[in-house]
Amino acid sequence: METSRRSVLKAGLASTAAVAGLSASALTTATTAAATPVRQDPFTLGVASGDPWPDGFVLWTRLAVDPLADDGLGGVPNRAYAVQWQVATDERFHRIVRSGVAVARPEHAHSVHVTIDGLSPSREYWYRFRSEGHVSGTGRALTAPARGTTPRELAMSFVSCSQFEHGWFTAYRRLAEDRPDLVLHLGDYQYEYTKNTYVAPGGNIRDHDGPETTDLASYRQRHAQYKSDLDLQAAHAVAPWLVVWDDHELDNNWADETPEKPEEGFLERRAAAFQAYYENMPLRASSKPRGIDMQLYRRVKWGELATFHMLDTRQYRDDQGCNDGYKDCPAAVDPKRSITGTRQEKWLIDGFRRSEARWDILGQQVFFAQRDNTEGPVKLTSMDSWDGYVASRDRITRGWVDARVRNPVVLTGDVHAHWASDLKLNYDDPTSRTVGSELVCSSISTGGDGADSASGSHPWLRWNPHLKFQNNLRGYVNTTITRESLVADFRTVRAVKTKDAEVFTRASFTIEDRNPGLQQTGDTPPSLPAAARTATADDMTSANTIAWETARP
């Protein structure tokens, strides 16, 4: 009897499904969909990997032929589709070490999360997907080192704040060209506004599609619009990511169950945003949301070289004091208030006590060090940052000091500018000892082009002596982490409103093992004329700049 092509396909899928542990019913559902194939390339949103462990990582893709479809489903028919995946030890897939089949279902916006295990630690792998006769692009992933081992070095980059309308995502492309081993995204991956709502100085260069994101369809559509950007796709494909959100993945400056402004149905909006976020990120199943709750804080170890404590400073925080903004606010020093919530704070401090890492790195969202924006006796600080939760910051700082954490480093996004800071137990005493370091990355595009300025010229550095560096160009931070030091290169592009700008290292800082605090080891002078540099420094103190750094105007 002649065997039909469809039965051969089904048999082939069944064999790989057995490897993947896919149920027979799920396989039948997926292969039935092959009767009406997707004829266009469904891999328009790229591929990604994330949360690396010593034996594997998570693979992600999402099928979409029309990413901007109003229903948020990417133009893919309302059916399940089989998606084959492969993992190889070489870029040309001559040696495939893992393969299987996942099912992309419409109730999950045809997203796929595959948890890979059984791999060797400390090595590169390549992966790809196939569905409906189409093959995805290739992604590169790495496994973490084995427990008890200390690798020679780790190249880690971190990023935040990519507003699609404000500029091209050139910084993502340049990051991919730098070829890190690991990428941390610290939030504001996408923005919720409808077009012409949040406008960069000089205007936007492209528009958001669809309404302000308030329901599942609009959040899915917005994620798809961002994921369609080829520069972002390149950054995802180059290395595994550790992702956490900030505020704009849901709503500007939200705090737990409290929106920025009173809003009926906010909890339903929150649940929709969380589901769309999970569907579009390379996260493990442990982060799958349950209604309005999502377990995002977690810990990833890179052997005994580094431990990454990925924090969530939105979902459990008390509401911002004194109606938010830069204030001298009594609520900021209320010992009962927390930015992390009690359970996450305990989890973090317990992690400090158990740590055996050379470097303990906190990946989180908002400015950690004190940042007073006015000279004189009155202290005006941001109620959305850790300055608005002083007791919470003190408890965590004392937690790592008491635990004798060897090298604590805080990584931050949010403020759309590069900063570097020493961390103190007492910021009001400049002579008090330094107990850690903070590195803050600028935005990928939020705020438009920004401006260059001479290192040390920002006026706030004069009365905040623990702040060591600021620059308002767009970019990201590359770090090289070894047993002896952590070197941070503040990478910048001169413009985001024109495509394909070159990248350069604006400044470099070194943190030495067992020697908390920053040492500047490199500085590229600004290319602006002196008059322009002076104007830029003056502009940094304006109310508009403060608004840009904290959120929308």
Side-chain angles (χ1 to χ4, degrees), residues 130-308:
R130 182 179 185 275
S131 187
E132 299 299 296
H134 300 275
V135 179
S136 73
T138 296
R140 168 181 173 262
L142 292 87
T143 49
R147 185 175 180 178
T149 64
T150 304
R152 184 174 61 86
E153 69 175 36
L154 166 65
M156 180 273 293
S157 302
F158 65 99
V159 298
S160 72
C161 302
S162 48
Q163 217 286 11
F164 183 85
E165 302 170 298
H166 287 188
W168 302 107
F169 289 170
T170 307
Y172 278 138
R173 173 72 60 177
R174 300 298 176 235
L175 180 151
E177 292 167 353
D178 289 344
R179 202 172 173 85
D181 300 324
L182 183 68
V183 178
L184 274 59
H185 200 294
L186 303 179
D188 293 347
Y189 183 96
Q190 59 94 24
Y191 284 71
E192 73 272 32
Y193 308 114
T194 191
K195 68 178 182 180
N196 298 326
T197 301
Y198 184 15
V199 181
N204 293 342
I205 59 114
R206 48 187 179 175
D207 291 328
H208 280 155
D209 213 78
E212 176 158 341
T213 54
T214 58
D215 59 18
L216 185 56
S218 56
Y219 280 111
R220 284 170 166 172
Q221 181 194 46
R222 186 61 49 79
H223 275 284
Q225 183 173 21
Y226 277 60
K227 279 286 202 306
S228 299
D229 186 278
L230 296 181
D231 294 333
L232 173 56
Q233 289 185 20
H236 269 299
V238 77
W241 283 35
L242 302 179
V243 299
V244 286
W245 56 39
D246 192 15
D247 53 337
H248 290 289
E249 287 84 355
L250 170 51
D251 175 51
N252 182 57
N253 283 13
W254 65 280
D256 194 2
E257 297 184 6
T258 304
E260 179 190 25
K261 300 174 182 176
E263 177 182 327
E264 186 176 348
F266 178 72
L267 295 186
E268 289 78 9
R269 180 181 183 180
R270 171 171 155 161
F274 286 12
Q275 180 173 337
Y277 185 81
Y278 177 78
E279 289 172 349
N280 286 279
M281 294 294 159
L283 289 163
R284 292 182 179 269
S286 56
S287 290
K288 191 171 183 178
R290 298 176 180 177
I292 66 167
D293 298 316
M294 184 170 171
Q295 179 66 47
L296 197 58
Y297 68 84
R298 62 204 186 279
R299 193 171 284 120
V300 173
K301 297 183 177 181
W302 205 262
E304 293 192 359
L305 180 64
T307 294
F308 295 93

Side-chain angles (χ1 to χ4, degrees), residues 97-115:
V97 293
R98 290 288 183 276
S99 63
V101 179
V103 177
R105 301 181 183 279
E107 58 266 33
H108 303 305
H110 294 101
S111 63
V112 171
H113 295 75
V114 181
T115 301

Side-chain angles (χ1 to χ4, degrees), residues 379-401:
K379 187 185 297 182
L380 297 179
T381 57
S382 168
M383 294 301 98
D384 189 57
S385 73
W386 290 80
D387 276 331
Y389 306 84
V390 171
S392 191
R393 176 174 64 199
D394 288 350
R395 289 191 297 269
I396 286 171
T397 307
R398 291 184 185 278
W400 79 55
V401 171

